[in-house]
Amino acid sequence: MSPSFRIGLFAALLALGCDDPKPGAGSAPTGKPSAQPTAAPVEAPTTTSVSMDDTAVTVNGTRIAFDGPSPRARIATELAGKPKIAGETVPLVAQRNAKAARVAIAVAALKDAKAAGVLVRTQKRDNATGELPVGWVDAPVACSAVAMIAKDVSISVWTVGGTVARRFAKGMAGPDLTLGSDGFRKGASTCDAPIAYVAGDEGIQWGLVFDLALAAKEGGEGGAFRAQKFGLVLEPPVPGRKVTPL
């Protein structure tokens, strides 16, 4: 083999080697692409938490202050569309020191948000948690009993339609819950109505109204408490006068 032939053969082999692609070069990847990490889906809440003190109502962590215009409308707007509100009996945790009138505003907002009723949970005097079923009707029965705690913490009992009120003076350390609740229970027990009404004068704390309602509901010498729920009043009523409930 001549030297020139060997050089030509070597050049040809070298050219063929350069044409061969390196493994993986210029070709589509043979493996599957690696999966990109994805964020976990955010689960929508399945229930709604509603609580309040004397300054605000809190809905799923969002506080709506009573100070400012139209608190009832602002609370109802926050509640609108939330789960377990429309058509449901909604638990409302209310602090004892909240004003009774502000509890009525919160309940009115729940009514506006299409709740079927409210179960108000409040600490009792023995520190246990009590529950008060609260509701409303389109047309209150005129003989429905009303019990109100006045500024001097006396208790007055009369009817929604308006009758002479019975007054129970202040006890040794606050409202006379024994006589007042007995009078309230007797008034409710003589009327075939699903709701009896409780109220507090301006500045009266919800805890006192709550205690009065529970005392009437849970027993005594005045007979069975026929009403299944309690109703609230937005504006403090005048004892003996006709009442416009929530």
Side-chain angles (χ1 to χ4, degrees):
M1 183 181 297
S2 66
S4 59
F5 180 80
R6 288 197 298 267
I7 292 172
L9 179 60
F10 177 77
L13 292 174
L14 182 61
L16 288 173
C18 290
D19 289 339
D20 289 337
K22 293 180 180 179
S27 59
T30 56
K32 294 183 179 179
S34 59
Q36 295 296 320
T38 57
V42 178
E43 294 185 3
T46 58
T47 188
T48 303
S49 170
V50 188
S51 62
M52 65 171 293
D53 54 26
D54 194 47
T55 61
V57 170
T58 300
V59 180
N60 284 352
T62 300
R63 287 176 63 82
I64 305 97
F66 286 107
D67 290 342
S70 307
R72 173 178 175 175
R74 288 187 285 112
I75 296 166
T77 298
E78 185 63 34
L79 290 164
K82 294 291 192 299
K84 298 293 184 180
I85 297 293
E88 302 279 348
T89 297
V90 181
L92 168 65
V93 178
Q95 299 297 317
R96 286 187 64 85
N97 65 353
K99 302 295 188 298
R102 289 185 165 179
V103 174
I105 290 173
V107 169
L110 282 161
K111 178 185 177 185
D112 294 343
K114 309 303 181 185
V118 181
L119 189 64
V120 183
R121 292 172 175 162
T122 297
Q123 191 177 56
K124 300 191 293 185
R125 290 179 295 170
D126 63 2
N127 295 327
T129 298
E131 295 183 338
L132 199 69
V134 174
W136 42 81
V137 291
D138 292 335
V141 180
C143 65
S144 298
V146 181
M148 173 182 152
I149 300 180
K151 291 180 181 179
D152 63 357
V153 297
S154 63
I155 298 172
S156 293
V157 177
W158 72 106
T159 66
V160 163
T163 52
V164 176
R166 296 181 63 193
R167 182 177 180 274
F168 304 91
K170 174 183 176 181
M172 292 293 292
D176 189 338
L177 294 178
T178 300
L179 294 180
S181 65
D182 187 65
F184 186 27
R185 186 167 46 252
K186 287 178 178 177
S189 298
T190 60
C191 179
D192 187 15
I195 294 180
Y197 297 89
V198 288
D201 209 337
E202 184 178 357
I204 293 297
Q205 293 186 348
W206 167 250
L208 297 179
V209 176
F210 182 79
D211 293 341
L212 172 61
L214 278 190
K217 179 176 179 289
E218 291 178 350
E221 300 301 323
F225 198 86
R226 293 177 69 180
Q228 290 82 46
K229 295 182 179 180
F230 291 86
L232 303 183
V233 182
L234 279 173
E235 297 295 332
V238 177
R241 302 275 185 89
K242 184 178 179 179
V243 177
T244 302
L246 175 65

